[in-house]
């Protein structure tokens, strides 16, 4: 930034704040004469399982969100180590929280026909891939994988499998936490427990399972290892009875609020005027703000007899509008006839009569 006499060159962080709840889903509008019935997905509780075995992620991707929508925090901001006596891999030594790791693609330096999987018996708990947090340089690790936003109706279960690397000389440490607000690192003030795992050749994976209160909006695994090797995580599962749909909505007709805090997933607007009606339905959030809108437009037709009128101009002038027009019984429709220069309107003929 410069004002002509001096300049300033620093990083500016701009945070965009969006709605605090999601827009309603399943919006449908049906028309019956001059009434319109609006339906949407009302709030309901149903079983939900979120799981990831990391097989669908591209190998050696840093901080991969996948289809679940994981987010990551690289709190240490350090470069990371690699495995001695094995060839490098894509993104090795880079700054990261976690990397999608495929040990069958990491070759032994002295014999490339052997891999970390075949030689050191480092394999995934299921499939061929897992995520790993490699030792930070400088230590310690401060690396997080964070769930998408959650909305469970009651206590739910958060579980995963973990292990250390291929050497039993190192012990990896971690903590499991949750946030009741947002996914900022400082918001994870609630601990579900700490743990440690060691590595080794052909070592078994350890299942960790935690009961999480319904107030949790995010859960996270935090690698806290201090100058160790690499912490491995696989088969993450979050399951319980989750809340879906909108508890209450506000309904707008062509931008005008017509109903507030409507519950139950249905509303009927009656005696609508002829023409287009665009209904916008916005969820009422917990802080009384509104979500983005789900919208659908419909057209209300008159139940009066309808006539089609065809209008044309002869040579020397024009009429607006022209062509076939629709008019309802009892309504007026205006046409404007305009002669060309040096012409005047000689006659107006309706159904052949002057």
């Amino acid at each position: 930034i410069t004002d002509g006499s001096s300049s300033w060159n620093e990083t500016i962080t701009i945070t965009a704040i969006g709605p605090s709840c999601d827009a309603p889903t399943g919006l449908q509008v049906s028309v019956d004469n001059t009434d319109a019935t609006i339906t949407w997905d009302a709030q309901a509780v149903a079983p939900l399982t979120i799981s990831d075995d990391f097989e669908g992620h591209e190998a050696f991707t840093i901080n991969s969100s996948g289809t679940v929508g994981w987010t990551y925090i690289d709190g240490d901001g350090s470069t990371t180590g690699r495995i001695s006596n094995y060839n490098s891999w894509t993104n090795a030594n880079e700054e990261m929280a976690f990397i999608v790791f495929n040990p069958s693609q990491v070759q032994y330096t002295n014999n490339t026909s052997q891999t970390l999987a075949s030689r050191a018996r480092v394999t995934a708990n299921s499939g061929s891939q897992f995520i790993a947090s490699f030792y930070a340089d400088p230590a310690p690790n401060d690396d997080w994988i964070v769930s998408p936003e959650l909305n469970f109706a009651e206590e739910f279960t958060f579980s995963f499998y973990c292990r250390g690397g291929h050497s039993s000389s190192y012990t990896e440490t971690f903590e499991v936490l949750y946030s009741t607000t947002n996914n900022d690192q400082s918001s994870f003030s609630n601990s579900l427990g700490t743990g440690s795992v060691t590595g080794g050749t052909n070592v078994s994976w350890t299942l960790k399972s935690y009961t999480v209160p319904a107030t949790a909006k995010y859960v996270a695994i935090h690698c806290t290892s201090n100058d160790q090797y690499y912490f491995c995580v696989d088969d993450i599962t979050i399951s319980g009875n989750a809340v879906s749909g909108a508890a209450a909505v506000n309904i707008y007709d062509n931008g005008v609020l017509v109903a507030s805090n409507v519950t139950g997933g249905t509303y009927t607007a009656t005696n609508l005027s002829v023409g287009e009606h665009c209904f916008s339905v916005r969820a009422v959030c917990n802080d009384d703000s509104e979500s983005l809108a789900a919208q659908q437009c419909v057209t209300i037709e008159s139940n009066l007899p309808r006539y089609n009128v065809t209008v044309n101009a002869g040579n020397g002038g024009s009429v607006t509008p022209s062509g076939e027009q629709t008019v309802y019984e009892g309504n007026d429709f205006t046409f404007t006839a305009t002669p060309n220069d040096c012409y005047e309107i000689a006659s107006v003929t309706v159904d052949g009569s002057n």
Side-chain angles (χ1 to χ4, degrees):
I1 299 174
T2 180
D3 62 3
S5 60
S6 60
S7 62
W8 179 79
N9 183 17
E10 293 290 342
T11 300
I12 299 176
T13 300
I14 300 174
T15 303
I17 301 176
S20 60
C21 62
D22 294 331
T25 58
L27 179 64
Q28 297 289 333
V29 182
S30 59
V31 174
D32 182 12
N33 292 323
T34 59
D35 297 344
T37 299
I38 306 158
T39 60
W40 60 94
D41 293 334
Q43 190 172 83
V45 176
L48 173 68
T49 297
I50 301 170
S51 62
D52 201 344
D53 59 8
F54 300 98
E55 297 306 303
H57 298 243
E58 184 176 351
F60 308 113
T61 301
I62 291 174
N63 303 340
S64 178
S65 60
T67 57
V68 170
W70 305 110
T71 56
Y72 297 82
I73 302 169
D74 180 14
D76 53 70
S78 300
T79 56
T80 52
R82 47 169 294 187
I83 301 173
S84 58
N85 300 320
Y86 285 84
N87 292 343
S88 185
W89 55 86
T90 303
N91 291 321
N93 301 121
E94 296 293 329
E95 297 177 8
M96 68 182 77
F98 285 84
I99 187 171
V100 179
F101 199 66
N102 190 325
S104 64
Q105 296 183 27
V106 178
Q107 296 175 324
Y108 181 52
T109 303
N110 295 330
N111 183 352
T112 56
S113 66
Q114 295 181 322
T115 66
L116 186 65
S118 64
R119 179 178 175 82
R121 300 294 187 266
V122 176
T123 57
N125 183 64
S126 66
S128 58
Q129 298 190 150
F130 52 88
I131 57 170
S133 176
F134 279 83
Y135 64 93
D137 184 18
N141 284 65
D142 183 12
D143 298 318
W144 304 66
I145 176 171
V146 181
S147 73
E149 184 175 356
L150 307 172
N151 190 19
F152 283 92
E154 55 195 34
E155 289 184 342
F156 61 95
T157 300
F158 177 40
S159 66
F160 56 92
Y161 286 84
C162 58
R163 58 162 288 172
H166 65 284
S167 174
S168 59
S169 300
Y170 300 95
T171 299
E172 310 295 335
T173 59
F174 62 92
E175 186 173 14
V176 179
L177 305 100
Y178 69 90
S179 165
T180 59
T181 53
N182 55 48
N183 59 358
D184 294 339
Q185 182 173 345
S186 60
S187 298
F188 287 92
S189 56
N190 305 284
S191 178
L192 293 167
T194 59
S196 63
V197 286
T198 57
T201 301
N202 207 26
V203 70
S204 297
W205 289 79
T206 299
L207 173 63
K208 298 292 183 179
S209 184
Y210 303 86
T211 299
V212 189
T215 53
K217 291 299 180 184
Y218 299 89
V219 291
I221 304 169
H222 179 205
C223 176
T224 58
S225 300
N226 189 358
D227 197 22
Q228 298 304 301
Y229 214 170
Y230 53 106
F231 174 55
C232 311
V233 176
D234 201 3
D235 294 323
I236 301 177
T237 301
I238 305 169
S239 62
N241 290 320
V243 178
S244 64
V249 301
N250 295 335
I251 300 174
Y252 296 80
D253 179 4
N254 290 337
V256 177
L257 180 66
V258 294
S260 305
N261 289 300
V262 182
T263 60
T266 184
Y267 173 82
T268 300
T270 60
N271 299 318
L272 296 172
S273 60
V274 173
E276 186 178 58
H277 291 259
C278 289
F279 291 101
S280 299
V281 181
R282 298 175 179 267
V284 179
C285 307
N286 290 335
D287 58 3
D288 291 330
S289 64
E290 290 184 334
S291 72
L292 295 175
Q295 186 179 77
Q296 187 172 332
C297 299
V298 295
T299 300
I300 301 298
E301 306 282 356
S302 174
N303 55 10
L304 296 172
R306 183 175 65 179
Y307 302 95
N308 292 325
V309 179
T310 301
V311 183
N312 293 302
N315 294 330
S318 62
V319 62
T320 305
S322 62
E324 187 174 279
Q325 308 296 322
T326 299
V327 61
Y328 291 95
E329 184 177 290
N331 291 344
D332 295 328
F333 204 99
T334 301
F335 298 92
T336 301
T338 305
N340 293 341
D341 292 344
C342 301
Y343 285 81
E344 63 181 23
I345 298 172
S347 63
V348 177
T349 301
V350 178
D351 289 338
S353 300
N354 199 2

